[in-house]
Amino acid sequence: MASLPQLAHSGIYLFFVFFLYSGCQSTPVPTGDTVVSVSWVNSSPHAIPYIQTTLCNSATVSLEQLPGYSEVPVSTRQSLTQNCRVETTLVQNGETVSLGSGWLDSPTRKSKNREYNLRVHLQTGAPPRLQLEPVQNLRARMNAAVDHSNVDRRE
């Protein structure tokens, strides 16, 4: 049978392990910012049948059919947290392939309304490059693309 000092020592050890574990599993701290869309930028000529991105280990955003050489946004509503991990996977030839994960940096340009687009740049042979930008940047880019395609049709 264990002596009282041995039990006390074991109890302190277990408390210490529990304390460390609970620190790793703490509630994420919100930043007050919100991701309202995710856009994938395909720099390859090949279409991607299905792509999925998980933000802050909670919300998953996906898209079927990402054409080659294109950017396609999808709406979402996800509160950002400090130390937000982002993981991107795709399905190709019936196999799920992880493209890797990364941590979101603070946006280089702040949004007045604190709403952002997560731009996921897909590059062959490299992990995705993540860019957090004001959602107005995405809207301006998409409007410019539409205006440009309308000019092409009129000619």
Side-chain angles (χ1 to χ4, degrees):
M1 188 168 219
S3 68
L4 191 56
Q6 288 174 328
L7 289 175
H9 186 275
S10 296
I12 291 171
Y13 175 76
L14 288 175
F15 175 76
F16 182 71
V17 169
F18 174 76
F19 180 73
L20 286 177
Y21 179 76
S22 65
C24 294
Q25 300 296 321
S26 62
T27 305
V29 178
T31 64
D33 299 319
T34 305
V35 173
V36 295
S37 60
V38 173
S39 65
W40 294 274
V41 181
N42 187 357
S43 61
S44 162
H46 307 289
I48 297 172
Y50 180 84
I51 190 157
Q52 167 179 300
T53 296
T54 304
L55 291 104
C56 305
N57 294 329
S58 61
T60 300
V61 183
S62 60
L63 174 70
E64 289 186 28
Q65 289 305 318
L66 175 62
Y69 298 126
S70 67
E71 177 176 10
V72 177
V74 172
S75 295
T76 188
R77 189 132 200 97
Q78 170 66 31
S79 296
L80 280 178
T81 58
Q82 291 179 356
N83 299 325
C84 179
R85 184 172 171 256
V86 176
E87 183 170 8
T88 301
T89 57
L90 59 87
V91 175
Q92 210 166 19
N93 301 326
E95 287 187 41
T96 302
V97 178
S98 174
L99 298 179
S101 62
W103 300 95
L104 271 185
D105 292 329
S106 297
T108 54
R109 197 165 153 218
K110 296 285 185 183
S111 169
K112 292 177 186 173
N113 61 2
R114 302 188 81 169
E115 293 185 335
Y116 293 92
N117 173 60
L118 171 59
R119 201 167 186 213
V120 181
H121 297 265
L122 305 170
Q123 306 158 1
T124 305
R129 187 170 52 90
L130 306 172
Q131 177 186 11
L132 200 56
E133 65 179 356
V135 71
Q136 294 84 355
N137 291 13
L138 171 70
R139 290 179 184 143
R141 216 172 26 255
M142 292 296 120
N143 287 339
V146 168
D147 290 344
H148 181 71
S149 67
N150 286 339
V151 169
D152 291 344
R153 288 183 192 149
R154 284 181 269 181
E155 290 178 351

